[in-house]
mmCIF file of all heavy atoms in Angstrom:
data_model
loop_
_atom_site.group_PDB
_atom_site.id
_atom_site.type_symbol
_atom_site.label_atom_id
_atom_site.label_comp_id
_atom_site.label_asym_id
_atom_site.label_seq_id
_atom_site.Cartn_x
_atom_site.Cartn_y
_atom_site.Cartn_z
ATOM 1 N N THR B 659 26.719 27.344 -52.818
ATOM 2 C CA THR B 659 26.228 26.536 -51.702
ATOM 3 C C THR B 659 24.781 26.132 -51.907
ATOM 4 O O THR B 659 23.979 26.988 -52.362
ATOM 5 C CB THR B 659 26.402 27.254 -50.331
ATOM 6 O OG1 THR B 659 27.739 27.678 -50.179
ATOM 7 C CG2 THR B 659 25.928 26.403 -49.126
ATOM 8 N N ALA B 660 24.380 24.905 -51.660
ATOM 9 C CA ALA B 660 22.988 24.555 -51.806
ATOM 10 C C ALA B 660 22.464 23.974 -50.406
ATOM 11 O O ALA B 660 23.141 23.210 -49.786
ATOM 12 C CB ALA B 660 22.840 23.465 -52.888
ATOM 13 N N GLU B 661 21.290 24.429 -50.009
ATOM 14 C CA GLU B 661 20.679 23.992 -48.826
ATOM 15 C C GLU B 661 19.289 23.340 -49.165
ATOM 16 O O GLU B 661 18.534 23.996 -49.921
ATOM 17 C CB GLU B 661 20.430 25.137 -47.751
ATOM 18 C CG GLU B 661 19.647 24.558 -46.558
ATOM 19 C CD GLU B 661 19.728 25.557 -45.358
ATOM 20 O OE1 GLU B 661 20.170 26.584 -45.502
ATOM 21 O OE2 GLU B 661 19.347 25.032 -44.263
ATOM 22 N N ALA B 662 19.074 22.117 -48.704
ATOM 23 C CA ALA B 662 17.808 21.470 -49.003
ATOM 24 C C ALA B 662 17.099 21.087 -47.728
ATOM 25 O O ALA B 662 17.639 20.834 -46.708
ATOM 26 C CB ALA B 662 18.125 20.189 -49.822
ATOM 27 N N HIS B 663 15.731 21.108 -47.785
ATOM 28 C CA HIS B 663 14.874 20.840 -46.722
ATOM 29 C C HIS B 663 13.824 19.779 -47.110
ATOM 30 O O HIS B 663 13.037 20.042 -48.080
ATOM 31 C CB HIS B 663 14.199 22.131 -46.204
ATOM 32 C CG HIS B 663 13.134 21.887 -45.127
ATOM 33 N ND1 HIS B 663 12.082 22.691 -44.994
ATOM 34 C CD2 HIS B 663 13.128 20.966 -44.104
ATOM 35 C CE1 HIS B 663 11.367 22.283 -43.931
ATOM 36 N NE2 HIS B 663 12.007 21.267 -43.380
ATOM 37 N N CYS B 664 13.844 18.663 -46.472
ATOM 38 C CA CYS B 664 12.864 17.581 -46.747
ATOM 39 C C CYS B 664 11.724 17.864 -45.836
ATOM 40 O O CYS B 664 11.736 17.586 -44.643
ATOM 41 C CB CYS B 664 13.503 16.230 -46.490
ATOM 42 S SG CYS B 664 12.305 14.813 -46.735
ATOM 43 N N TYR B 665 10.666 18.497 -46.395
ATOM 44 C CA TYR B 665 9.585 19.039 -45.499
ATOM 45 C C TYR B 665 8.408 18.049 -45.309
ATOM 46 O O TYR B 665 7.496 18.247 -44.479
ATOM 47 C CB TYR B 665 9.071 20.345 -46.104
ATOM 48 C CG TYR B 665 8.491 20.278 -47.525
ATOM 49 C CD1 TYR B 665 7.126 20.052 -47.674
ATOM 50 C CD2 TYR B 665 9.203 20.412 -48.614
ATOM 51 C CE1 TYR B 665 6.582 19.904 -48.974
ATOM 52 C CE2 TYR B 665 8.831 20.357 -49.889
ATOM 53 C CZ TYR B 665 7.456 20.103 -50.085
ATOM 54 O OH TYR B 665 6.906 19.983 -51.343
ATOM 55 N N ARG B 666 8.431 16.927 -46.133
ATOM 56 C CA ARG B 666 7.407 15.913 -45.922
ATOM 57 C C ARG B 666 7.984 14.572 -46.366
ATOM 58 O O ARG B 666 8.635 14.451 -47.408
ATOM 59 C CB ARG B 666 6.163 16.298 -46.701
ATOM 60 C CG ARG B 666 5.222 15.150 -46.866
ATOM 61 C CD ARG B 666 4.079 15.235 -45.792
ATOM 62 N NE ARG B 666 3.093 14.176 -46.075
ATOM 63 C CZ ARG B 666 2.823 13.171 -45.173
ATOM 64 N NH1 ARG B 666 3.442 13.111 -43.949
ATOM 65 N NH2 ARG B 666 1.921 12.263 -45.428
ATOM 66 N N MET B 667 7.736 13.539 -45.563
ATOM 67 C CA MET B 667 8.216 12.216 -45.872
ATOM 68 C C MET B 667 7.085 11.201 -45.611
ATOM 69 O O MET B 667 6.606 11.124 -44.475
ATOM 70 C CB MET B 667 9.419 11.938 -44.942
ATOM 71 C CG MET B 667 10.047 10.602 -45.132
ATOM 72 S SD MET B 667 11.479 10.841 -46.142
ATOM 73 C CE MET B 667 12.616 9.835 -45.347
ATOM 74 N N THR B 668 6.722 10.483 -46.614
ATOM 75 C CA THR B 668 5.786 9.391 -46.431
ATOM 76 C C THR B 668 6.568 8.061 -46.359
ATOM 77 O O THR B 668 7.854 8.145 -46.516
ATOM 78 C CB THR B 668 4.685 9.317 -47.489
ATOM 79 O OG1 THR B 668 5.331 8.880 -48.692
ATOM 80 C CG2 THR B 668 4.028 10.648 -47.663
ATOM 81 N N ARG B 669 5.932 6.887 -46.319
ATOM 82 C CA ARG B 669 6.648 5.684 -46.322
ATOM 83 C C ARG B 669 7.548 5.492 -47.551
ATOM 84 O O ARG B 669 8.542 4.933 -47.551
ATOM 85 C CB ARG B 669 5.815 4.476 -46.070
ATOM 86 C CG ARG B 669 5.503 4.199 -44.601
ATOM 87 C CD ARG B 669 4.824 2.866 -44.444
ATOM 88 N NE ARG B 669 3.709 2.687 -45.347
ATOM 89 C CZ ARG B 669 3.346 1.665 -45.967
ATOM 90 N NH1 ARG B 669 4.079 0.485 -45.794
ATOM 91 N NH2 ARG B 669 2.262 1.574 -46.719
ATOM 92 N N GLN B 670 6.995 5.947 -48.686
ATOM 93 C CA GLN B 670 7.693 5.751 -49.883
ATOM 94 C C GLN B 670 8.231 7.045 -50.655
ATOM 95 O O GLN B 670 9.082 6.914 -51.468
ATOM 96 C CB GLN B 670 6.793 4.980 -50.878
ATOM 97 C CG GLN B 670 6.755 3.474 -50.535
ATOM 98 C CD GLN B 670 5.607 2.763 -51.161
ATOM 99 O OE1 GLN B 670 4.456 3.247 -51.101
ATOM 100 N NE2 GLN B 670 5.937 1.689 -51.858
ATOM 101 N N ILE B 671 7.596 8.175 -50.362
ATOM 102 C CA ILE B 671 7.977 9.375 -51.085
ATOM 103 C C ILE B 671 8.441 10.475 -50.185
ATOM 104 O O ILE B 671 7.871 10.710 -49.110
ATOM 105 C CB ILE B 671 6.753 9.894 -51.959
ATOM 106 C CG1 ILE B 671 6.113 8.774 -52.815
ATOM 107 C CG2 ILE B 671 7.076 11.091 -52.767
ATOM 108 C CD1 ILE B 671 7.030 8.291 -53.933
ATOM 109 N N ALA B 672 9.460 11.182 -50.595
ATOM 110 C CA ALA B 672 9.958 12.313 -49.860
ATOM 111 C C ALA B 672 9.786 13.579 -50.717
ATOM 112 O O ALA B 672 10.087 13.569 -51.949
ATOM 113 C CB ALA B 672 11.400 12.115 -49.532
ATOM 114 N N PHE B 673 9.407 14.729 -50.094
ATOM 115 C CA PHE B 673 9.228 15.987 -50.799
ATOM 116 C C PHE B 673 10.270 16.960 -50.291
ATOM 117 O O PHE B 673 10.437 17.176 -49.108
ATOM 118 C CB PHE B 673 7.817 16.531 -50.501
ATOM 119 C CG PHE B 673 6.678 15.590 -50.987
ATOM 120 C CD1 PHE B 673 6.336 14.498 -50.130
ATOM 121 C CD2 PHE B 673 6.154 15.725 -52.202
ATOM 122 C CE1 PHE B 673 5.311 13.593 -50.534
ATOM 123 C CE2 PHE B 673 5.096 14.873 -52.617
ATOM 124 C CZ PHE B 673 4.647 13.811 -51.785
ATOM 125 N N VAL B 674 10.976 17.593 -51.231
ATOM 126 C CA VAL B 674 12.091 18.434 -50.824
ATOM 127 C C VAL B 674 12.072 19.791 -51.582
ATOM 128 O O VAL B 674 11.684 19.895 -52.734
ATOM 129 C CB VAL B 674 13.371 17.779 -51.243
ATOM 130 C CG1 VAL B 674 14.606 18.454 -50.573
ATOM 131 C CG2 VAL B 674 13.402 16.281 -50.930
ATOM 132 N N ARG B 675 12.479 20.866 -50.887
ATOM 133 C CA ARG B 675 12.703 22.180 -51.500
ATOM 134 C C ARG B 675 14.162 22.488 -51.231
ATOM 135 O O ARG B 675 14.792 22.118 -50.242
ATOM 136 C CB ARG B 675 11.902 23.195 -50.771
ATOM 137 C CG ARG B 675 10.503 23.424 -51.450
ATOM 138 C CD ARG B 675 9.848 24.697 -50.859
ATOM 139 N NE ARG B 675 9.324 24.443 -49.522
ATOM 140 C CZ ARG B 675 8.132 24.042 -49.246
ATOM 141 N NH1 ARG B 675 7.245 23.804 -50.177
ATOM 142 N NH2 ARG B 675 7.748 23.859 -47.990
ATOM 143 N N ALA B 676 14.786 23.214 -52.198
ATOM 144 C CA ALA B 676 16.241 23.572 -52.043
ATOM 145 C C ALA B 676 16.437 24.864 -52.729
ATOM 146 O O ALA B 676 15.760 25.349 -53.571
ATOM 147 C CB ALA B 676 17.094 22.450 -52.630
ATOM 148 N N SER B 677 17.523 25.521 -52.270
ATOM 149 C CA SER B 677 17.930 26.751 -52.996
ATOM 150 C C SER B 677 19.491 26.843 -53.004
ATOM 151 O O SER B 677 20.209 26.159 -52.175
ATOM 152 C CB SER B 677 17.473 28.054 -52.361
ATOM 153 O OG SER B 677 17.913 28.234 -51.086
ATOM 154 N N ALA B 678 20.038 27.494 -53.958
ATOM 155 C CA ALA B 678 21.476 27.568 -54.145
ATOM 156 C C ALA B 678 21.918 29.082 -54.269
ATOM 157 O O ALA B 678 21.144 29.835 -54.816
ATOM 158 C CB ALA B 678 21.900 26.863 -55.412
ATOM 159 N N TRP B 679 22.978 29.398 -53.629
ATOM 160 C CA TRP B 679 23.466 30.819 -53.657
ATOM 161 C C TRP B 679 24.999 30.852 -53.680
ATOM 162 O O TRP B 679 25.622 29.838 -53.402
ATOM 163 C CB TRP B 679 22.919 31.520 -52.477
ATOM 164 C CG TRP B 679 23.501 31.131 -51.131
ATOM 165 C CD1 TRP B 679 24.596 31.553 -50.513
ATOM 166 C CD2 TRP B 679 22.961 30.050 -50.286
ATOM 167 N NE1 TRP B 679 24.867 30.845 -49.362
ATOM 168 C CE2 TRP B 679 23.847 29.926 -49.173
ATOM 169 C CE3 TRP B 679 21.906 29.240 -50.317
ATOM 170 C CZ2 TRP B 679 23.639 29.037 -48.206
ATOM 171 C CZ3 TRP B 679 21.690 28.337 -49.301
ATOM 172 C CH2 TRP B 679 22.547 28.172 -48.175
ATOM 173 N N ASP B 680 25.553 32.080 -54.056
ATOM 174 C CA ASP B 680 26.971 32.184 -53.942
ATOM 175 C C ASP B 680 27.340 33.108 -52.748
ATOM 176 O O ASP B 680 28.105 32.720 -51.905
ATOM 177 C CB ASP B 680 27.624 32.696 -55.298
ATOM 178 C CG ASP B 680 26.769 33.779 -55.968
ATOM 179 O OD1 ASP B 680 25.956 34.448 -55.233
ATOM 180 O OD2 ASP B 680 26.905 33.904 -57.176
ATOM 181 N N GLU B 681 26.833 34.341 -52.655
ATOM 182 C CA GLU B 681 27.219 35.308 -51.585
ATOM 183 C C GLU B 681 26.358 35.152 -50.393
ATOM 184 O O GLU B 681 26.824 34.966 -49.300
ATOM 185 C CB GLU B 681 27.023 36.690 -52.145
ATOM 186 C CG GLU B 681 28.020 37.131 -53.192
ATOM 187 C CD GLU B 681 29.196 37.840 -52.558
ATOM 188 O OE1 GLU B 681 29.104 38.994 -52.357
ATOM 189 O OE2 GLU B 681 30.220 37.134 -52.297
ATOM 190 N N SER B 682 25.000 35.159 -50.578
ATOM 191 C CA SER B 682 24.114 35.132 -49.408
ATOM 192 C C SER B 682 22.894 34.286 -49.682
ATOM 193 O O SER B 682 22.363 34.285 -50.810
ATOM 194 C CB SER B 682 23.698 36.655 -49.103
ATOM 195 O OG SER B 682 22.451 36.607 -48.416
ATOM 196 N N PRO B 683 22.447 33.551 -48.641
ATOM 197 C CA PRO B 683 21.185 32.730 -48.847
ATOM 198 C C PRO B 683 20.006 33.579 -49.171
ATOM 199 O O PRO B 683 19.026 33.124 -49.699
ATOM 200 C CB PRO B 683 21.032 32.075 -47.538
ATOM 201 C CG PRO B 683 22.182 32.397 -46.639
ATOM 202 C CD PRO B 683 23.050 33.377 -47.365
ATOM 203 N N ASP B 684 20.059 34.919 -48.833
ATOM 204 C CA ASP B 684 18.962 35.790 -49.144
ATOM 205 C C ASP B 684 18.892 36.181 -50.597
ATOM 206 O O ASP B 684 17.953 36.853 -51.026
ATOM 207 C CB ASP B 684 19.059 37.100 -48.303
ATOM 208 C CG ASP B 684 19.088 36.776 -46.778
ATOM 209 O OD1 ASP B 684 18.465 35.762 -46.403
ATOM 210 O OD2 ASP B 684 19.686 37.499 -46.038
ATOM 211 N N HIS B 685 19.902 35.830 -51.326
ATOM 212 C CA HIS B 685 20.022 36.234 -52.741
ATOM 213 C C HIS B 685 20.256 34.959 -53.578
ATOM 214 O O HIS B 685 21.341 34.799 -54.182
ATOM 215 C CB HIS B 685 21.083 37.281 -52.927
ATOM 216 C CG HIS B 685 21.147 37.905 -54.189
ATOM 217 N ND1 HIS B 685 19.969 38.223 -54.911
ATOM 218 C CD2 HIS B 685 22.140 38.336 -55.021
ATOM 219 C CE1 HIS B 685 20.271 38.771 -56.099
ATOM 220 N NE2 HIS B 685 21.634 38.880 -56.142
ATOM 221 N N PRO B 686 19.308 34.033 -53.645
ATOM 222 C CA PRO B 686 19.611 32.746 -54.291
ATOM 223 C C PRO B 686 19.817 32.897 -55.778
ATOM 224 O O PRO B 686 19.272 33.850 -56.442
ATOM 225 C CB PRO B 686 18.356 31.871 -53.980
ATOM 226 C CG PRO B 686 17.316 32.802 -53.647
ATOM 227 C CD PRO B 686 17.983 34.088 -53.101
ATOM 228 N N LEU B 687 20.568 31.955 -56.434
ATOM 229 C CA LEU B 687 20.740 32.024 -57.838
ATOM 230 C C LEU B 687 19.799 31.000 -58.504
ATOM 231 O O LEU B 687 19.444 31.046 -59.626
ATOM 232 C CB LEU B 687 22.146 31.792 -58.206
ATOM 233 C CG LEU B 687 22.916 30.526 -57.807
ATOM 234 C CD1 LEU B 687 22.883 29.516 -58.933
ATOM 235 C CD2 LEU B 687 24.395 30.910 -57.524
ATOM 236 N N ALA B 688 19.402 29.944 -57.680
ATOM 237 C CA ALA B 688 18.454 28.971 -58.215
ATOM 238 C C ALA B 688 17.716 28.337 -57.039
ATOM 239 O O ALA B 688 18.179 28.266 -55.944
ATOM 240 C CB ALA B 688 19.175 27.823 -58.975
ATOM 241 N N THR B 689 16.447 27.999 -57.379
ATOM 242 C CA THR B 689 15.580 27.309 -56.389
ATOM 243 C C THR B 689 15.079 26.014 -56.979
ATOM 244 O O THR B 689 14.942 25.905 -58.236
ATOM 245 C CB THR B 689 14.398 28.150 -55.947
ATOM 246 O OG1 THR B 689 13.761 28.685 -57.069
ATOM 247 C CG2 THR B 689 14.875 29.256 -54.998
ATOM 248 N N ALA B 690 14.869 24.987 -56.153
ATOM 249 C CA ALA B 690 14.510 23.659 -56.689
ATOM 250 C C ALA B 690 13.334 23.085 -55.916
ATOM 251 O O ALA B 690 13.197 23.374 -54.726
ATOM 252 C CB ALA B 690 15.653 22.728 -56.751
ATOM 253 N N GLN B 691 12.630 22.199 -56.526
ATOM 254 C CA GLN B 691 11.579 21.425 -55.848
ATOM 255 C C GLN B 691 11.699 20.010 -56.392
ATOM 256 O O GLN B 691 11.861 19.810 -57.609
ATOM 257 C CB GLN B 691 10.195 22.062 -56.237
ATOM 258 C CG GLN B 691 8.950 21.268 -55.918
ATOM 259 C CD GLN B 691 8.606 21.415 -54.399
ATOM 260 O OE1 GLN B 691 8.539 22.530 -53.924
ATOM 261 N NE2 GLN B 691 8.417 20.310 -53.735
ATOM 262 N N ALA B 692 11.712 19.069 -55.500
ATOM 263 C CA ALA B 692 11.971 17.667 -55.993
ATOM 264 C C ALA B 692 11.181 16.667 -55.169
ATOM 265 O O ALA B 692 10.799 16.926 -54.005
ATOM 266 C CB ALA B 692 13.474 17.306 -55.848
ATOM 267 N N THR B 693 10.910 15.500 -55.779
ATOM 268 C CA THR B 693 10.410 14.324 -54.969
ATOM 269 C C THR B 693 11.371 13.211 -55.222
ATOM 270 O O THR B 693 12.013 13.046 -56.244
ATOM 271 C CB THR B 693 8.979 13.960 -55.478
ATOM 272 O OG1 THR B 693 9.015 13.704 -56.872
ATOM 273 C CG2 THR B 693 7.957 15.039 -55.170
ATOM 274 N N PHE B 694 11.429 12.357 -54.171
ATOM 275 C CA PHE B 694 12.326 11.179 -54.271
ATOM 276 C C PHE B 694 11.497 9.973 -53.850
ATOM 277 O O PHE B 694 10.573 10.068 -53.078
ATOM 278 C CB PHE B 694 13.475 11.304 -53.235
ATOM 279 C CG PHE B 694 14.582 12.239 -53.653
ATOM 280 C CD1 PHE B 694 14.382 13.600 -53.685
ATOM 281 C CD2 PHE B 694 15.849 11.726 -54.029
ATOM 282 C CE1 PHE B 694 15.369 14.469 -54.129
ATOM 283 C CE2 PHE B 694 16.800 12.529 -54.442
ATOM 284 C CZ PHE B 694 16.613 13.956 -54.510
#
Side-chain angles (χ1 to χ4, degrees):
Chain B
T659 305
E661 173 164 13
H663 176 211
C664 177
Y665 60 92
R666 166 95 177 120
M667 178 100 138
T668 69
R669 273 194 308 143
Q670 281 164 309
I671 308 294
F673 300 84
V674 194
R675 267 190 288 267
S677 67
W679 67 88
D680 40 23
E681 289 267 276
S682 156
D684 300 330
H685 190 37
L687 59 95
T689 48
Q691 169 80 48
T693 57
F694 283 72

